[in-house]
Amino acid sequence: MAPPHGLIRWWRAHVNAEIDHPVVVRRIFDESGWSPRFIFMVVMSAGIAELGLLQSSPAVVIGAMLISPLMGPIMGLGFGLALFDFARLRRSMAALALAVPLAVAFTALIVLCSPLQSATPEILARTQPNLFDLVVALFSALAGSFALIRGKGETIVGVAIATALMPPLATVGFGLATGNSAIAWGALALFATNFVTIALSATIMARLYGFGHYLSTHQTWLQTGLLLGAFVAMAVPLGLSLEHIASQAVITNQIRAALAEASGREARITQLDIDFQAVPIAVRTVIITPRQKAVSTSQLANAIKARIGQAVALQADQVLRAPSSNGLDDAKAALARAQDLQMEERQTEHIRIMLAIAAGIAPDDVLIDREARRAQVAAVLLPGADLATYHALEQRIAAVADGWTITLTPSAGLNLLPVPLTGNGQLSSAAMASVETNIWAAKRWNWAALGIPGWLAAMPAHPSALQTEAKAIGEIASDADITPVAGGTYHAGLLQLAPIKPSTAAKGT
C-alpha cells in the first residue's frame, strides 16, 4: 500500500501545489452563468449552426461551434459538482436551462421560415449517437478541463469544435419544425451524451487536481446530498446511452459475422449500413463474391436472423467476379458499385425533394419504396393551381426520375377541367389535354367513372357533331379503364364532366 500513498503524496506536492485553485475557480465560474452577452452568443451560434446544417456546409457549422458559449456553463456544472458548491451549480444549471430551449426554439423558427426543409447529410450525421461520439466527448472534456486548470484557456476553442454542442441542438430544432420526431430525439440523445460526458469528466478532472468542497463556502450536508444525487442522476442517462451504443455495436458485429459466414471465405463485405431506427432493422450491404458462389438475399437474411434473433430488412448488392480476378479487379468493382449506390441515394433524395415541393408538403411525408422504385405523395391545395398544374408537375418529375414510378395525387378539393368543343366533330388539342388530365385525376382519386353527356341526348347547335365529340371522349375514357356514364353539362361549347365516385358510379352507358 506504500507506493500508492507515496504517489498520491507526490501528486499533491508537485502537481496540485502548482495550481492556483482560487484563480481557476473564479475564472471558470465567471464564464458559467448567463448574461446578455451569453444569450446573444447562444442565439447567434444557433442560427449559424442551423444555416450550416440546411446548406450541408461543414465550414459554416464549424463557425457556429467556434462562437458557441455552451462549454462555459457545462464546465461550471462539472466543477460545481466537484466543489459541492450548490450556489454555483445552480447558476450553471440556470444558464443551460435558458440556453437550450432558446437555441432549439430559434433554430426551429429559422427552419419554418426557410424554403430548405430537407434533411441534409450534416443533419442526419447528428441523429444517431455512437460509441465514437461518446469517446470524442470524453477526450474533449478531459482536454478542456486540463486546459482550464493549467491556464491554457485557448485550447478550449478546439474542444468546442470537437464536442459540437450547438449543432445537435440545431438539429433538434430542425426535427421539431419539420415534425420529424426521429431526427429530434436522435439529436437530443447526442446532445445529452455530450453534455453528461463533459460534465462528469470535468468533475473527475477537478477532483484529480485537488478541487474539493473545502474551496467553497456555506457547504451543508443537505447540499452535499443533493449534489451527490445530481451526480448519480446525470450518470444514469450516460449509462443508458452506453448500453444502447454497446448493444448496437454488438448487433453490428453479429450481422457482419453472419454475412461473412453465409457468403463464404472468398467473399468480402465492402459496405455495411444499418438503420437501427427502422422496424425491422434495415441492413444494406455490398458483397464481392465469386460468381459460382453467390448466395441469395433470402439466405443472407435468414443467416442474420439466426444470429441476432430477429428479422431484418436486407438489401444485399453482390458484385460477382470471375474466379481468376485479382484484388485490383475487386477494388474496381467495389468502387463502381459504391459509386452507383451513392448516385442512387442522390437520385432518391432529389426525387423526394422535387415531389415535396410540387405537393407543398415536407420531404418526410413523401412515400419512397426503394426496392420497387416508386415514389408517392398526396398534394395539398396550393393557391392558383388546378389539375393541369399537378398533372404537368408529375410528368416533369417522372421525366427526370428515370426508371421510377411517380404518383402525385392532386388535392380532392379541385374540380375537373371543362372540355372545349369545336362543334365540327373533331376534338381539339386543348380538348384532348383536358380529357387526359381529367382521366389522370380520376385514376389518382380511385374513381371508377366519369360523368360524360350521353351522345344520344339532344344538344344545342350542331347536335350530331357535338355528339360525335362527346362519344370520342367516352371512348377515350373507356380505353383508360374509366367508365363513361350519363352526366355532366354543356355550356356554350364546353363539356363540364361530372365527378362520379366509385360508390355511386353506374357501369355502362
Side-chain angles (χ1 to χ4, degrees), residues 183-465:
I183 287 180
W185 282 111
L188 186 61
L190 176 58
F191 174 79
T193 299
N194 287 347
F195 165 74
V196 174
T197 303
I198 294 169
L200 295 185
S201 300
T203 301
I204 294 171
M205 285 292 286
R207 296 293 295 181
L208 180 64
Y209 277 93
F211 292 84
H213 62 86
Y214 54 85
L215 295 174
S216 62
T217 58
H218 307 296
Q219 179 69 36
T220 67
W221 283 109
L222 176 60
Q223 291 176 346
T224 300
L226 291 174
L227 291 169
L228 289 174
F231 190 95
V232 173
M234 288 175 60
V236 169
L238 183 59
L240 294 176
S241 179
L242 269 172
E243 181 184 4
H244 179 68
I245 291 170
S247 65
Q248 289 189 355
V250 170
I251 292 176
T252 299
N253 290 334
Q254 289 177 335
I255 291 176
R256 183 178 292 277
L259 290 172
E261 182 178 337
S263 301
R265 296 179 59 183
E266 297 182 45
R268 287 196 298 154
I269 301 171
T270 61
Q271 182 176 338
L272 179 61
D273 299 319
I274 303 175
D275 183 3
F276 289 97
Q277 303 298 325
V279 180
I281 295 174
V283 179
R284 190 172 188 177
T285 184
V286 177
I287 303 173
I288 300 176
T289 184
R291 187 178 301 277
Q292 73 277 14
K293 294 186 178 181
V295 181
S296 67
T297 301
S298 60
Q299 289 177 289
L300 295 175
N302 290 334
I304 294 175
K305 181 179 180 180
R307 180 65 66 95
I308 69 174
Q310 58 179 304
V312 298
L314 176 64
Q315 179 179 343
D317 298 299
Q318 298 189 59
V319 180
L320 305 180
R321 61 177 175 85
S324 60
S325 64
N326 55 30
L328 180 59
D329 293 333
D330 292 348
K332 289 180 178 179
L335 177 60
R337 185 57 190 163
Q339 291 174 339
D340 290 341
L341 290 175
Q342 289 178 355
M343 291 182 63
E344 183 180 337
E345 287 291 339
R346 286 196 294 267
Q347 183 191 34
T348 302
E349 191 60 27
H350 186 49
I351 292 171
R352 184 192 299 275
I353 293 172
M354 287 192 299
L355 279 175
I357 294 174
I361 62 171
D364 289 334
D365 294 329
V366 178
L367 301 178
I368 297 289
D369 186 344
R370 297 175 187 269
E371 296 292 332
R373 297 178 69 82
R374 290 197 199 96
Q376 181 177 346
V377 68
V380 299
L381 187 59
L382 299 176
D386 59 8
L387 287 181
T389 304
Y390 292 106
H391 192 195
L393 287 171
E394 183 188 271
Q395 290 176 323
R396 291 174 187 173
I397 296 173
V400 175
D402 185 31
W404 283 71
T405 301
I406 304 299
T407 303
L408 193 157
T409 303
S411 170
L414 293 170
N415 295 320
L416 295 173
L417 299 177
V419 181
L421 297 181
T422 61
N424 60 13
Q426 298 293 325
L427 288 175
S428 65
S429 59
M432 287 291 294
S434 294
V435 170
E436 290 175 358
T437 297
N438 288 332
I439 292 174
W440 166 80
K443 295 172 81 171
R444 291 291 177 267
W445 291 329
N446 293 321
W447 288 355
L450 278 179
I452 300 177
W455 35 86
L456 299 179
M459 302 184 78
H462 309 291
S464 60

Side-chain angles (χ1 to χ4, degrees), residues 12 23 42 48 52 67 76 82 125 150 153-154 171 174 185 192 252 289 341 358-359 372 390 420 452 477:
R12 290 174 178 174
V23 172
V42 165
I48 294 172
I67 66 173
R150 305 297 295 185
E154 63 275 6
T171 305
F174 174 88
W185 282 111
T252 299
T289 184
L341 290 175
Y390 292 106
I452 300 177

Side-chain angles (χ1 to χ4, degrees), residues 85 121 477 508:
D85 194 319

